[in-house]
Amino acid sequence: MSDLDLQLPSAFDPFAEANAEDSNAGAGSKDYVHVRIQQRNGRKSLTTVQGLKKEYSYNKILKDLKKEFCCNGTVVQDPELGQAIQLQGDQRKNVATFLVQLTFISSCMLWPGICLFSLAKAVAGQTGCTS
């Protein structure tokens, strides 16, 4: 019977490290700033900025964004995701350049899923990420 005993490999969870980081980290503690667009109805859309540091005053940033881009916006409080800035219209490129130029974030901190990384990198005049 000992010849037929097989040793099963121990259970390995490849996502255990990522899940542990997600559960320990609160909203706004990630390194990335997410700039997303949400389609409403027809041509109407909302731009959402999420992931800025908690020590920044979201209301002051919102006030400057509204004045700069001539659009309306609000600060939304989400129980899971924390605070987020919502602007009317598709303001993704404008917000990315605004945040990088005012050095709220570096170009490396933009979430690369929306292809804003190359835009922010070109605006900031950086050749590579050092942070």
Side-chain angles (χ1 to χ4, degrees):
M1 180 120 183
S2 63
D3 293 338
L4 296 177
D5 287 338
L6 298 175
Q7 288 188 353
L8 297 175
S10 61
F12 175 72
D13 185 11
F15 301 108
E17 185 176 311
N19 290 339
E21 290 175 1
D22 288 344
S23 63
N24 292 338
S29 64
K30 297 286 184 190
D31 290 340
Y32 290 115
V33 174
H34 296 269
V35 181
R36 298 186 179 104
I37 187 169
Q38 297 175 354
Q39 195 69 30
R40 290 188 343 164
N41 50 1
R43 294 175 46 195
K44 307 290 184 184
S45 59
L46 289 174
T47 302
T48 305
V49 182
Q50 185 179 16
L52 293 172
K53 293 182 181 178
K54 291 182 179 181
E55 57 260 14
Y56 292 144
S57 173
Y58 279 68
N59 290 327
K60 289 183 180 180
I61 295 172
L62 175 66
K63 182 179 177 182
D64 291 338
L65 287 170
K66 286 167 54 172
K67 189 178 289 187
E68 181 75 21
F69 306 132
C70 300
C71 65
N72 200 7
T74 185
V75 176
V76 178
Q77 180 67 32
D78 189 273
E80 292 179 9
L81 305 174
Q83 288 186 335
I85 297 175
Q86 284 188 344
L87 298 171
Q88 287 183 346
D90 187 1
Q91 306 290 342
R92 290 178 290 183
K93 292 179 184 177
N94 296 336
V95 169
T97 56
F98 181 83
L99 292 175
V100 170
Q101 285 178 347
L102 293 181
T103 64
F104 281 117
I105 61 172
S106 69
S107 61
C108 301
M109 294 172 66
L110 285 171
W111 184 253
I114 312 174
C115 301
L116 290 175
F117 179 76
S118 59
L119 170 75
K121 191 163 126 180
V123 167
Q126 297 178 351
T127 57
C129 291
T130 58
S131 57

